Amino acid sequence: MYQSFIGLEIHIQLLTESKVFCGCTNRFGDEPNTNVCPVCMGYPGVLPALNEEAIRLSYIVARTLNCELSPRAIFERKNYFYPDMPKNYQISQFSSPLGRNGWIDIEYAGKPRRVRIHEIHLEEDAGKMIHAGDMSLLDYNRAGTPLLEIVTEPDMEAGEEAEILLQNFRRTIRYLGVCDGNMEEGSMRCDANVSINLEGQGLGRKVEIKNLNSSRFVKMALNYEITRQKELFGKGGKIVQETRLWNENRDVTEPMRTKESAHDYRYFPEPDLPPFIPGAEFLAKVDKGLVELPEARKARFVKEYGLSAAAADFLVAEKATADFYEQTVKLGAAPAAAAAWLQFDVRKILNRDGKELADCPLTAGRLAQLLSLLADGRIHGKIAKQVLEAVFAEDKDPGQLIKEKGWQSMSDMSQLAALVDQALAANAAAVDAVKAGDRKPLGFLVGQIMKQTGGMAEPRLVQELLKQKIK
Amino acid sequence: MIHSMDVSELKITAELANLDLTGEDLASLGNEVEKILDYFSSMMEADTAGLAAGKAGSAANRLRPDVRTPGDADALLENAPELEGRFIVIPNVL
């Protein structure tokens, strides 16, 4: 009988070399206050200048999220007095943000859902503060780094749905290469708002939740908050419009004390920055940054390569994996085999060694070579796995490793036939059992020959020969 | 004509600026702010139709290539009243 309404405000740090309005380095983890200059430290008399890559990446996100692009994006000063911003205002956007009225399509509870985007705007991030006893420590390395804010409409209804949206969004920005989406390090941050009301009565009184530094916490905090509000409502209580903090140690939301007047930001146009007008040339550069998104790529993988939805899902999760896969196939590997090897054998080694596909001795060329050796019967399955391990250990091509180690399969039929004859003669009891209809000793006989050849005999051929000879 | 600022609005503005003003401060500041507002009022009466004034001039975007041009961070830190390592120290304002 209750309806819940969830909206998200997502902030992402853009992957630029320099800050958004000055030439300081934009990098996480540097020594405190090394990447600062008079512009981002708010010295008088300085002039901000817009970073063209920051604005390009912003429009790429706006286009990807189906937004109407502002023909005249205006920067405004958001005034507030807090030491994380040395200027006493943040350059942001208010009256004419760069993107509006977009959407993200997700799948929730087995159904397609469209979550509308209210707006997207570019702003500068604030510095970091560490509160230590009676003093606060300030680090302005982050002050002035480009931050893109994406505001959704309150179109979601459960914590799980918000979690899916966030995961989907994260994958998208990583595909676009605009942000690494690391919620723990804070390169992607999320605030949520939620209200409940009786069915059909529209939005309720909005509660904002902050301090959500993983998509799981977003889900947990929202579900906690919906339950809290329903109980309060049910008891005839009043929901207060407020900001609450997620307490990750106690798994609850708690009210945050704020001064109401603090929300009067007195926005006005930034006199030091002209409005940004995206021209045809700029928009062409934006279009070059658009990529095939994970959902579309997944659908194509299923259709074009005949993969299962699960295999395609795995491959498209990271763009690097999907690119690697397609390159392997392009080099001649069978689509199903390449998918299976990446999904199981290769992933197992990467996980074990804590390595990334993009940064390991296995290349698409080497995987394609390995799979072609396997498909041609020059090595058999068990050896192929050994070769894969050797590629990782020795950083050499599969073909070279097989030669060096003498791992070519023994597939010479007359040689194998002689070995089979020997085995049959030495194991008369097993042969009799097979003749009597028991198939189990066949495996034993294959094992004997494999042992004798140090595992090099092609097991498929051995089995065939055995069946021919025991008749 | 802009209406002169009443005391309640002045109090809110002072609060937003983290200024602790006494009744005396408010009275004297009220007069000064009024003068500033009057000045803006007379500026607003000027006929600017057809002038580019008030609009950021150039038709072209003013952009900066995404290049690092590191400045002298250490010199800026020397201006900080108190440091802890490379952190700037201020009283706790949590």
Side-chain angles (χ1 to χ4, degrees):
Chain A
M1 61 177 194
Y2 289 114
Q3 237 181 322
S4 42
F5 305 90
I6 294 171
L8 299 178
E9 280 178 24
I10 310 169
H11 285 92
I12 57 171
Q13 289 180 335
L14 298 177
L15 286 170
T16 56
E17 292 291 314
S18 62
K19 292 188 180 181
V20 58
F21 299 120
C22 63
C24 287
T25 298
N26 174 22
R27 189 166 50 212
F28 178 83
D30 280 0
E31 284 283 295
N33 295 311
T34 43
N35 305 321
V36 292
C37 76
V39 176
C40 55
M41 290 285 265
Y43 275 55
V46 296
L47 260 191
L50 180 60
N51 181 334
E52 69 180 344
E53 180 65 359
I55 192 84
R56 189 182 75 92
L57 297 181
S58 302
Y59 273 84
I60 286 175
V61 176
R63 282 270 277 136
T64 300
L65 301 186
N66 313 292
C67 286
E68 293 162 10
L69 304 183
S70 168
R72 201 177 143 86
I74 295 174
F75 289 97
E76 259 126 344
R77 290 189 182 179
K78 178 181 180 177
N79 298 282
Y80 71 91
F81 286 78
Y82 197 65
D84 64 354
M85 231 10 174
K87 295 201 294 278
N88 290 336
Y89 59 84
Q90 176 192 32
I91 302 178
S92 181
Q93 299 191 281
F94 185 64
S95 61
S96 180
L98 60 94
R100 270 189 175 139
N101 300 329
W103 71 83
I104 301 181
D105 285 330
I106 57 167
E107 202 180 289
Y108 168 61
K111 285 189 201 130
R113 301 267 289 188
R114 175 161 289 186
V115 176
R116 291 168 301 154
I117 305 289
H118 178 72
E119 69 165 64
I120 296 185
H121 65 255
L122 177 61
E123 59 190 24
E124 54 181 338
D125 208 345
K128 269 190 188 162
M129 292 178 72
I130 301 169
H131 304 291
D134 57 354
M135 60 182 185
S136 294
L137 305 176
L138 305 176
D139 173 10
Y140 290 122
N141 280 348
R142 201 180 64 185
T145 56
L147 193 66
L148 195 67
E149 180 171 339
I150 295 96
V151 184
T152 78
E153 298 287 355
D155 287 350
M156 290 161 280
E157 59 186 29
E160 286 75 10
E161 190 178 6
E163 187 182 31
I164 289 170
L165 180 107
L166 267 183
Q167 286 166 348
N168 184 304
F169 175 76
R170 179 176 181 274
R171 204 156 74 160
T172 300
I173 55 169
R174 285 172 61 84
Y175 255 65
L176 293 169
V178 301
C179 173
D180 61 19
N182 188 329
M183 286 190 83
E184 286 77 41
E185 284 184 2
S187 68
M188 172 168 152
R189 309 194 281 271
C190 179
D191 297 333
N193 58 71
V194 57
S195 70
I196 65 156
N197 209 345
L198 291 168
E199 194 120 31
Q201 302 273 301
L203 299 172
R205 222 176 254 121
K206 187 164 89 174
V207 170
E208 281 191 71
I209 316 172
K210 291 178 181 284
N211 193 38
L212 301 168
N213 44 29
S214 78
S215 55
R216 197 171 64 92
F217 288 154
V218 171
K219 174 185 73 178
M220 288 166 73
L222 284 168
N223 287 345
Y224 172 85
E225 191 56 27
I226 289 168
T227 308
R228 185 188 73 87
Q229 291 183 21
K230 278 183 187 167
E231 280 171 7
L232 199 61
F233 215 91
K235 282 189 287 194
K238 260 204 163 168
I239 291 151
V240 191
Q241 180 159 346
E242 61 177 346
T243 301
R244 298 174 71 91
L245 292 178
W246 173 245
N247 182 329
E248 62 183 65
N249 299 315
R250 295 181 48 224
D251 289 355
V252 297
T253 64
E254 294 165 339
M256 180 175 116
R257 274 179 304 156
T258 47
K259 281 193 283 183
E260 269 319 298
S261 57
H263 292 299
D264 182 358
Y265 293 120
R266 306 207 165 172
Y267 283 94
F268 65 86
E270 165 61 86
D272 293 340
L273 284 167
F276 177 74
I277 298 165
E281 201 185 326
F282 172 79
L283 291 174
K285 276 194 224 165
V286 169
D287 284 351
K288 266 193 205 147
L290 302 176
V291 299
E292 184 184 28
L293 293 178
E295 286 306 312
R297 201 167 195 185
K298 180 184 157 188
R300 183 167 63 79
F301 277 16
V302 169
K303 203 171 154 222
E304 200 171 313
Y305 302 123
L307 301 180
S308 68
D313 230 0
F314 165 78
L315 292 172
V316 304
E318 292 290 336
K319 185 168 180 290
T321 313
D323 290 346
F324 189 105
Y325 171 72
E326 289 216 274
Q327 214 188 329
T328 310
V329 171
K330 215 168 142 190
L331 291 168
W341 277 75
L342 281 172
Q343 202 180 350
F344 303 109
D345 304 279
V346 175
R347 173 161 61 159
K348 209 169 85 187
I349 297 174
L350 290 173
N351 286 347
R352 185 193 65 199
D353 298 352
K355 282 199 174 123
E356 297 285 336
L357 192 55
D359 184 29
C360 79
L362 187 71
T363 58
R366 283 174 171 173
L367 181 59
Q369 193 183 59
L370 177 65
L371 295 179
S372 114
L373 288 165
L374 182 63
D376 296 347
R378 291 187 43 209
I379 51 173
H380 60 76
K382 206 176 148 213
I383 296 294
K385 289 179 196 210
Q386 265 173 251
V387 175
L388 183 69
E389 287 280 2
V391 169
F392 274 91
E394 301 179 30
D395 194 3
K396 289 177 185 164
D397 287 345
Q400 187 189 351
L401 284 164
I402 290 164
K403 262 188 223 143
E404 280 177 18
K405 297 181 187 292
W407 282 348
Q408 294 94 332
S409 329
M410 193 183 283
S411 52
D412 182 274
M413 285 307 249
S414 59
Q415 213 179 341
L416 284 176
L419 286 166
V420 168
D421 286 339
Q422 269 177 32
L424 294 182
N427 299 284
V431 176
D432 288 343
V434 176
K435 278 184 180 159
D438 183 3
R439 298 185 62 81
K440 266 188 239 154
L442 260 182
F444 166 77
L445 291 168
V446 173
Q448 290 299 305
I449 294 158
M450 294 306 289
K451 209 160 130 192
Q452 215 180 336
T453 59
M456 292 307 123
E458 167 61 73
R460 201 167 33 85
L461 296 178
V462 172
Q463 204 150 14
E464 261 172 48
L465 282 169
L466 279 169
K467 280 185 201 158
Q468 277 172 23
K469 288 182 186 274
I470 312 175
K471 256 187 184 165
Chain B
M1 187 75 192
I2 293 176
H3 293 288
S4 57
M5 201 176 221
D6 62 37
V7 178
S8 64
E9 183 123 13
L10 193 59
K11 277 183 181 163
I12 295 170
T13 309
E15 206 186 315
L16 287 171
N18 289 349
L19 293 175
D20 239 342
L21 299 183
T22 64
E24 250 173 70
D25 293 335
L26 285 169
S28 67
L29 204 64
N31 284 328
E32 289 177 36
V33 169
E34 212 156 306
K35 277 185 204 160
I36 296 171
L37 290 175
D38 283 347
Y39 180 59
F40 273 86
S41 295
S42 46
M43 282 203 292
M44 283 177 76
E45 280 165 18
D47 182 13
T48 59
L51 294 178
K55 289 179 194 147
S58 64
N61 292 316
R62 207 180 70 221
L63 294 173
R64 179 180 69 75
D66 183 23
V67 176
R68 292 176 181 167
T69 51
D72 188 355
D74 292 350
L76 294 178
L77 279 191
E78 278 169 24
N79 291 336
E82 196 185 341
L83 292 174
E84 172 84 41
R86 292 191 63 90
F87 285 106
I88 295 169
V89 180
I90 56 163
N92 193 333
V93 289
L94 189 65

